[in-house]
Amino acid sequence: MIEEEFKKQTELLREVYQALRPLRKVRLEDLEKALEQSKLLFIEGLKKPAFRFRREFRGFPAGTVIGPGLLMPGFPSIPRVFVLKTGIPRYIYGPFYAEEKIEGYNVRLANVFGEIKAFTRRGYVCPFATDRWPDFLPMLPEFFEKYPRYVICCEVAGPENPFVSEWPPYIKEDVAFFVFDIFDLERQKFLAPEKKYALLREYEFRTPEISGPYSPQEIDPLKGLILRYEEEGREGVVLKPVSFKDGRVIKYVTSSSNVSDLRVAFPYIGELDASYIVHRLVRMTITRWELDQPFDENFYQALGEAFFGEMKELLDKVAQGEPVEEVFKVRLRRKESLEALMAHFRTAQVRIEIRREEWKDEYLHVEFAKIYPKATSFWAGKLQGLAQID
Amino acid sequence: MIEEEFKKQTELLREVYQALRPLRKVRLEDLEKALEQSKLLFIEGLKKPAFRFRREFRGFPAGTVIGPGLLMPGFPSIPRVFVLKTGIPRYIYGPFYAEEKIEGYNVRLANVFGEIKAFTRRGYVCPFATDRWPDFLPMLPEFFEKYPRYVICCEVAGPENPFVSEWPPYIKEDVAFFVFDIFDLERQKFLAPEKKYALLREYEFRTPEISGPYSPQEIDPLKGLILRYEEEGREGVVLKPVSFKDGRVIKYVTSSSNVSDLRVAFPYIGELDASYIVHRLVRMTITRWELDQPFDENFYQALGEAFFGEMKELLDKVAQGEPVEEVFKVRLRRKESLEALMAHFRTAQVRIEIRREEWKDEYLHVEFAKIYPKATSFWAGKLQGLAQID
């Protein structure tokens, strides 16, 4: 960082430190050091100074956003169980709801210094969700007027989102915002399910499908739900105790969701850790075993197509010197949002090529490609005949 | 290591150092430090003191064995090419042979201080191959009489070997020794293919199938060979330039060999790195692409069966509290060899349970199980409902 800029940010950090009491459990000089080491990063473009933690730091989860009077923790990672019968009673001791797990990306919408902003899991301001929330959560301003210290946690999902190549099969175009949690900044706690459901109904926020309550001792109905989700190509469930005193939130995904992850991962394996692939193979093995789903030719066909269905085309392209890329589409309400999105990708060091830009029905329709240099050299090196020692 | 023992080994190391000139490129004190850090390990049971390098050390490859007048380098890792058309001309510039790559384990047989001993890739004395070579290489004593400074490099392969659960399909019982290289300790070099072939014929040593010579510019005949190996369930080829001046040795394996590796790896994934699985998926993708092998239901069926064919049974067992294990069979000529083999597994920290021991037709037939604690807890933890954060 340039000396000048660092000095300015350090001053702003001191300002935040003065104006955010819970931060004082850490010494200011430790935060300044974190800033210097890029563990703490300045967030551009807000009305007051704010910072995000890149990784967990002294009890602040990754993606935590801090500003004067603002402590918005990073959205927690939810533990995954592999087996329902043993996993549920291990973590949940009373009735629980099953909320559909939506394949998309997580944003936290908050009223930050007088503006409604969406933050990604890592604590970036998300230009896309910040642009589009009015289309999907029109009563959000009213909500924040009444509950200025609540945060709306939702999944942005659909075929036209800028980050994720999988989406719920019933979203046929554009995206939707699925609200699944409300966080109370004052008490630094999530709302319990039933209180949350009432508010989401009141403000007409779309939610993931909610089922239950179920009992940890009687999981056959939940198995039925998961088998239906498997059929419908839905991702899975997040299980939430009716009362947080009765256990903790856990998640579980379908076999087909694991299969479909492979389709969007294997071509880009050079960018990913190998365990991404293997974890999914392990999960589908155990799920199919527990739910008595057959290991048969239909399953093998689906798995094979997920791994290899697009590989011939990809290798043909790479052999001709083309890069590995993935094309995304989005609709935006404002041209500035596209600029902000591109700036976001630059900050995140993702290489983007815009392929199409067109105003239609008051939306800017944009098509862009993400270029994957590591995946490209992963495949290209091998196709060029380079040997490896293993 | 116990102080006393370490002192004794240090003295023996000094003795070796005095009696092995090429060792002097390293300072004695560095070797002593390597011994202290277990980078250099004493080899028990030979007539003179000897040591093995656990990993590459100052230019000595992993598995190198040193003793008075003995410098036997570890067997080199052979670079693997993924694409024949581009890979072969990149590394080989003249005519080359294709030697069948045998699925088994690599041993180096040498006349060490007057005894014929087999060494594993890591430089252990292999009790199994040391016991069994007379059955398969009866002319080996004559060979070493004439060529005391040559090392016979071979693959021990078959359904009854103590280390590897895959083998060439045409070996229906017991094992065979396939000699594929001769190393000259005097010149510290491998023999060129044709000189080697002549000697192997003369001493009636079984070899892998040898094809060629081929030209790097005309690889269709080699493709035909590989497609035949694919059909026959053989592993692949090691390509060796007729003259070492014309390039280097490279290897290439069939799609079906990669598929079959998954069958014997996936159940034990807790013991392996995830990249073991992913590398094989990558290799089969590129091979099938280059050789125009279809991505069709037969392939998907074979792949699915490799991954999951044995998983239901395995998970049922683990769910009942049984460990993940793999059963091996061997035939030995001497009871002491079994004791040495068990001592070898203890040194290598592999947990073994002997299941059956029976003398029949002058061989001790032994069946034993390897118990895999990491694979067991990998699956058992998940089946017991433990959650993971990823």
Side-chain angles (χ1 to χ4, degrees):
Chain A
M1 198 175 354
I2 300 155
E3 184 66 23
E4 192 66 15
E5 180 62 19
F6 176 64
K7 240 174 96 180
K8 201 185 113 204
Q9 290 187 8
T10 306
E11 270 163 41
L12 295 172
L13 178 58
R14 281 177 202 155
E15 203 176 299
V16 171
Y17 194 77
Q18 291 308 317
L20 184 62
R21 179 170 296 272
L23 213 51
R24 302 206 191 144
K25 70 175 185 183
V26 182
R27 289 184 309 171
L28 177 59
E29 61 198 75
D30 290 351
L31 288 169
E32 287 174 1
K33 204 171 159 201
L35 182 67
E36 200 180 338
Q37 296 172 334
S38 299
K39 292 177 179 171
L40 184 63
L41 294 152
F42 183 68
I43 303 175
E44 305 277 348
L46 297 178
K47 299 249 167 170
K48 293 185 187 176
F51 296 84
R52 64 186 177 90
F53 286 101
R54 191 207 283 268
R55 300 188 186 283
E56 195 277 337
F57 183 83
R58 307 283 179 85
F60 297 110
T64 296
V65 174
I66 55 172
L70 174 70
L71 172 60
M72 180 167 65
F75 194 84
S77 292
I78 297 173
R80 170 195 310 282
V81 296
F82 297 79
V83 173
L84 297 166
K85 191 183 163 71
T86 52
I88 292 173
R90 185 180 281 272
Y91 296 100
I92 301 181
Y93 326 117
F96 64 91
Y97 288 97
E99 298 181 4
E100 180 190 357
K101 186 174 187 317
I102 303 286
E103 186 84 73
Y105 72 96
N106 177 304
V107 300
R108 287 161 290 160
L109 285 154
N111 182 348
V112 173
F113 318 134
E115 295 175 307
I116 298 178
K117 293 281 184 183
F119 293 85
T120 67
R121 200 129 192 189
R122 295 164 73 188
Y124 287 105
V125 172
C126 174
F128 178 74
T130 300
D131 179 277
R132 295 300 308 281
W133 66 259
D135 295 335
F136 302 100
L137 306 170
M139 291 175 74
L140 195 56
E142 273 172 73
F143 175 85
F144 280 133
E145 198 146 323
K146 182 132 183 222
Y147 303 104
R149 300 288 286 160
Y150 279 3
V151 174
I152 289 292
C153 305
C154 59
E155 200 81 358
V156 177
E160 294 172 65
N161 84 76
F163 298 122
V164 183
S165 331
E166 295 176 272
W167 54 85
Y170 48 84
I171 305 291
K172 300 296 185 194
E173 58 166 19
D174 203 5
V175 292
F177 282 49
F178 296 87
V179 181
F180 54 77
D181 266 319
I182 298 177
F183 186 81
D184 180 350
L185 292 171
E186 214 51 59
R187 299 187 312 142
Q188 289 284 310
K189 266 190 182 172
F190 285 103
L191 267 56
E194 284 158 12
K195 185 161 179 207
K196 170 184 72 178
Y197 299 147
L199 276 177
L200 300 184
R201 264 194 308 274
E202 186 184 342
Y203 288 89
E204 296 174 9
F205 295 157
R206 181 168 186 171
T207 68
E209 184 171 84
I210 295 154
S211 309
Y214 298 98
S215 151
Q217 277 67 52
E218 177 44 42
I219 57 157
D220 281 348
L222 179 63
K223 281 190 184 173
L225 178 76
I226 287 163
L227 289 171
R228 172 162 72 80
Y229 281 5
E230 165 90 17
E231 281 306 303
E232 294 171 358
R234 293 158 98 159
E235 191 187 8
V237 290
V238 180
L239 307 180
K240 298 184 177 172
V242 170
S243 160
F244 289 153
K245 281 172 296 186
D246 279 347
R248 58 181 302 177
V249 176
I250 53 179
K251 68 184 174 188
Y252 181 89
V253 299
T254 62
S255 168
S256 63
S257 148
N258 285 310
V259 171
S260 117
D261 283 352
L262 297 177
R263 183 177 52 78
V264 297
F266 189 59
Y268 314 109
I269 183 63
E271 310 272 329
L272 292 167
D273 196 82
S275 61
Y276 184 94
I277 303 287
V278 171
H279 283 167
R280 278 154 185 78
L281 290 165
V282 165
R283 288 181 209 156
M284 68 182 79
T285 309
I286 297 180
T287 292
R288 299 189 77 86
W289 170 79
E290 183 184 20
L291 301 184
D292 283 324
Q293 294 174 286
F295 294 95
D296 63 2
E297 61 191 43
N298 288 335
F299 169 54
Y300 295 161
Q301 183 72 22
L303 183 71
E305 276 170 12
F307 269 123
F308 304 106
E310 291 162 29
M311 289 309 298
K312 187 180 167 343
E313 195 184 335
L314 181 129
L315 293 181
D316 284 343
K317 281 179 64 177
V318 173
Q320 284 158 35
E322 290 179 43
V324 176
E325 60 174 43
E326 203 172 11
V327 173
F328 290 81
K329 287 183 194 179
V330 290
R331 301 180 192 183
L332 295 163
R333 299 188 311 130
R334 294 181 307 266
K335 171 78 177 174
E336 305 88 88
S337 300
L338 176 58
E339 282 150 18
L341 186 61
M342 292 303 119
H344 168 77
F345 283 127
R346 274 194 299 278
T347 311
Q349 299 190 295
V350 178
R351 209 183 118 202
I352 298 290
E353 278 176 17
I354 293 184
R355 294 282 159 84
R356 200 173 68 89
E357 236 188 285
E358 183 189 359
W359 281 99
K360 203 169 71 185
D361 304 332
E362 303 192 42
Y363 284 91
L364 180 58
H365 291 247
V366 183
E367 206 174 296
F368 62 88
K370 283 186 199 169
I371 313 292
Y372 296 117
K374 284 185 214 157
T376 303
S377 63
F378 179 88
W379 295 110
K382 293 172 179 67
L383 296 197
Q384 288 158 15
L386 288 170
Q388 272 183 10
I389 290 179
D390 46 26
Chain B
M1 198 176 351
I2 301 154
E3 185 67 23
E4 192 66 15
E5 180 62 19
F6 175 65
K7 240 174 96 181
K8 199 183 115 207
Q9 290 188 9
T10 306
E11 270 164 42
L12 294 172
L13 178 58
R14 280 176 204 156
E15 201 176 302
V16 171
Y17 194 77
Q18 291 309 317
L20 184 62
R21 180 170 295 273
L23 212 51
R24 302 207 192 145
K25 70 176 184 181
V26 182
R27 289 184 311 171
L28 177 59
E29 61 198 75
D30 290 352
L31 288 169
E32 286 174 0
K33 205 172 160 200
L35 183 67
E36 199 180 339
Q37 296 171 333
S38 298
K39 291 176 180 171
L40 185 63
L41 294 152
F42 183 68
I43 304 174
E44 306 276 348
L46 297 179
K47 300 248 164 168
K48 293 186 187 176
F51 297 83
R52 64 186 177 91
F53 286 101
R54 191 207 282 270
R55 299 187 187 284
E56 195 278 335
F57 183 83
R58 309 280 180 88
F60 297 110
T64 296
V65 174
I66 55 173
L70 174 70
L71 172 60
M72 180 168 64
F75 194 84
S77 293
I78 297 173
R80 171 194 310 282
V81 296
F82 297 79
V83 173
L84 297 167
K85 191 184 163 69
T86 53
I88 293 172
R90 185 181 281 274
Y91 295 100
I92 301 181
Y93 326 117
F96 63 91
Y97 288 97
E99 298 181 4
E100 180 190 358
K101 186 174 187 316
I102 303 287
E103 186 83 73
Y105 72 96
N106 176 304
V107 300
R108 287 162 289 160
L109 285 155
N111 182 348
V112 173
F113 318 134
E115 296 175 307
I116 297 178
K117 294 281 184 182
F119 293 85
T120 67
R121 199 128 193 189
R122 294 164 74 189
Y124 287 104
V125 172
C126 174
F128 178 75
T130 300
D131 180 276
R132 295 300 308 280
W133 67 258
D135 294 335
F136 302 99
L137 307 170
M139 291 174 75
L140 196 55
E142 273 172 74
F143 175 84
F144 280 132
E145 198 145 323
K146 181 130 184 223
Y147 303 104
R149 299 288 286 161
Y150 280 2
V151 174
I152 289 292
C153 305
C154 60
E155 200 80 359
V156 177
E160 293 173 65
N161 85 77
F163 298 122
V164 183
S165 331
E166 295 176 272
W167 54 85
Y170 48 84
I171 305 291
K172 301 295 185 195
E173 58 166 20
D174 203 4
V175 291
F177 282 49
F178 296 87
V179 181
F180 54 77
D181 266 319
I182 298 176
F183 186 80
D184 180 350
L185 292 171
E186 214 51 59
R187 298 187 312 143
Q188 289 284 309
K189 266 189 182 173
F190 285 103
L191 267 55
E194 284 158 12
K195 184 162 179 206
K196 169 184 73 180
Y197 299 147
L199 276 176
L200 300 184
R201 264 195 308 274
E202 186 184 341
Y203 287 89
E204 296 173 11
F205 295 156
R206 181 168 185 171
T207 68
E209 184 172 85
I210 295 155
S211 309
Y214 298 99
S215 151
Q217 277 67 51
E218 176 46 42
I219 57 157
D220 281 349
L222 179 63
K223 281 189 183 173
L225 178 76
I226 288 163
L227 289 170
R228 171 162 73 81
Y229 281 6
E230 165 90 18
E231 280 307 302
E232 294 171 358
R234 293 158 99 158
E235 191 187 9
V237 290
V238 180
L239 307 180
K240 298 184 177 173
V242 170
S243 160
F244 289 153
K245 281 171 295 184
D246 279 347
R248 58 181 300 176
V249 176
I250 53 179
K251 67 184 174 189
Y252 181 89
V253 299
T254 63
S255 168
S256 63
S257 148
N258 285 309
V259 171
S260 119
D261 283 352
L262 297 177
R263 182 177 52 78
V264 297
F266 189 59
Y268 315 108
I269 183 64
E271 310 272 329
L272 291 168
D273 196 81
S275 60
Y276 184 94
I277 303 287
V278 171
H279 283 166
R280 279 154 184 78
L281 290 165
V282 165
R283 287 181 210 157
M284 68 182 78
T285 310
I286 297 179
T287 293
R288 299 189 78 85
W289 170 79
E290 183 184 19
L291 301 184
D292 283 324
Q293 294 174 286
F295 293 95
D296 63 2
E297 62 190 41
N298 288 336
F299 169 53
Y300 295 160
Q301 183 72 24
L303 182 70
E305 274 170 13
F307 269 123
F308 304 106
E310 291 162 28
M311 288 310 298
K312 188 181 168 340
E313 194 184 336
L314 181 130
L315 293 181
D316 284 343
K317 281 179 64 177
V318 173
Q320 283 159 36
E322 290 179 43
V324 176
E325 60 173 43
E326 202 172 10
V327 174
F328 291 80
K329 286 184 194 178
V330 290
R331 302 181 192 182
L332 295 163
R333 299 189 309 131
R334 294 181 307 265
K335 172 79 177 173
E336 305 87 88
S337 299
L338 176 59
E339 283 150 18
L341 186 61
M342 293 303 119
H344 168 77
F345 283 127
R346 275 194 298 278
T347 311
Q349 298 191 294
V350 179
R351 209 183 120 202
I352 298 290
E353 278 175 16
I354 292 184
R355 294 282 160 84
R356 201 172 68 89
E357 236 188 284
E358 184 189 359
W359 280 99
K360 204 168 71 185
D361 304 332
E362 303 192 43
Y363 284 92
L364 180 58
H365 292 246
V366 183
E367 206 173 297
F368 62 88
K370 284 186 198 169
I371 314 291
Y372 296 116
K374 285 185 211 156
T376 303
S377 64
F378 179 90
W379 296 109
K382 292 172 179 67
L383 296 197
Q384 287 158 15
L386 287 170
Q388 272 183 10
I389 290 180
D390 46 25

